[in-house]
Amino acid sequence: MSPAPERRGELLATAAEVFAAQGYRATTVREIADAAGMLAGSLYYHFDSKESMLDEILATFLDELRARYDAVLAAGLGPRETIEALVTASFREIARHRAAVAIYQQESQHLRTHPRFGYLTDAQRKFERAWLGTLERGVAAKDFRADLDIRLTYRFVRDTVWVAASWYRPGGQHSPEEIARQYLSTVLEGIAVRE
């Protein structure tokens, strides 16, 4: 009999929280099992290794993010609307996968050196192309300033969006959509009063 999918999901959520708080390399299987309220050996009934848990956490997050970005890009929106939709999709994914985002930020540089996690580099390149292509399209369409440093702008937007995983808490004062609206207003309109 295979383990119940719900229990597997609960265990992955617990592992993600522990990895995010302590770091992947510093976390032991025993600590994950303790947080899940089970014996360490029982965890192996569900997963063959700590690495398998991490792999599933990151792959699930990146697959969902990729699907959301693909839907945005396929919608045929203008450059500004595409940026708005990508930002909103990103904040929604932070709400859904906050711990996975934190793990990705902390561990991806190290994990990319392991063949099992080669998909991290592929995903990062695909996401980068989506953002850079949209920014380039926006400059060409005169929706964005001609003097915009595309790569620097991408890095700024990417880093300022994803750092929200360090402070965002689901069920807090603001929904992901509200945070995206405020963020976009700041990035696209600035904070100074216009004369």
Side-chain angles (χ1 to χ4, degrees):
M1 185 168 83
S2 64
E6 303 82 34
R7 181 61 174 150
R8 185 179 176 83
E10 291 167 7
L11 293 172
L12 283 171
T14 299
E17 290 297 333
V18 177
F19 291 151
Q22 296 179 193
Y24 170 71
R25 287 172 280 180
T27 300
T28 65
V29 171
R30 178 177 300 282
E31 288 169 322
I32 296 167
D34 287 348
M38 65 193 311
L39 297 172
S42 299
L43 204 52
Y44 290 107
Y45 176 64
H46 300 274
F47 304 97
D48 64 1
S49 67
K50 180 175 88 164
E51 186 178 72
S52 291
M53 288 183 269
L54 180 65
D55 187 10
E56 196 165 331
I57 291 163
L58 291 176
T60 298
F61 157 60
L62 292 172
D63 286 348
E64 290 184 18
L65 181 61
R66 186 179 301 113
R68 301 238 188 277
Y69 278 14
D70 286 349
V72 167
L73 297 174
L77 303 170
R80 181 181 172 124
E81 293 79 15
T82 301
I83 290 291
E84 291 170 349
L86 289 171
V87 165
T88 302
S90 298
F91 280 111
R92 286 179 178 146
E93 289 305 302
I94 289 169
R96 291 174 44 85
H97 297 285
R98 185 197 53 77
V101 173
I103 296 164
Y104 180 82
Q105 290 177 325
Q106 295 165 8
E107 309 289 347
S108 64
Q109 284 298 106
H110 166 73
L111 292 173
R112 283 187 181 121
T113 63
H114 299 282
R116 180 175 192 162
F117 293 95
Y119 63 87
L120 295 176
T121 299
D122 296 338
Q124 190 252 332
R125 286 182 184 142
K126 181 173 175 122
F127 299 150
E128 183 175 293
R129 281 193 306 270
W131 287 95
L132 290 174
T134 302
L135 290 167
E136 288 165 356
R137 208 165 45 95
V139 169
K142 297 188 168 71
D143 287 344
F144 305 140
R145 294 187 345 240
D147 66 337
L148 202 63
D149 182 318
I150 302 291
R151 188 158 290 280
L152 186 60
T153 302
Y154 159 68
R155 288 179 178 157
F156 169 75
V157 171
R158 176 197 65 196
D159 292 351
T160 55
V161 166
W162 293 109
V163 77
S166 67
W167 54 262
Y168 177 78
R169 295 295 173 267
Q173 182 178 356
H174 301 289
S175 70
E177 294 77 15
E178 290 169 322
I179 294 170
R181 272 194 300 278
Q182 187 65 243
Y183 176 85
L184 286 162
S185 171
T186 302
V187 169
L188 296 173
E189 309 301 332
I191 61 171
V193 175
R194 294 185 182 229
E195 304 262 338

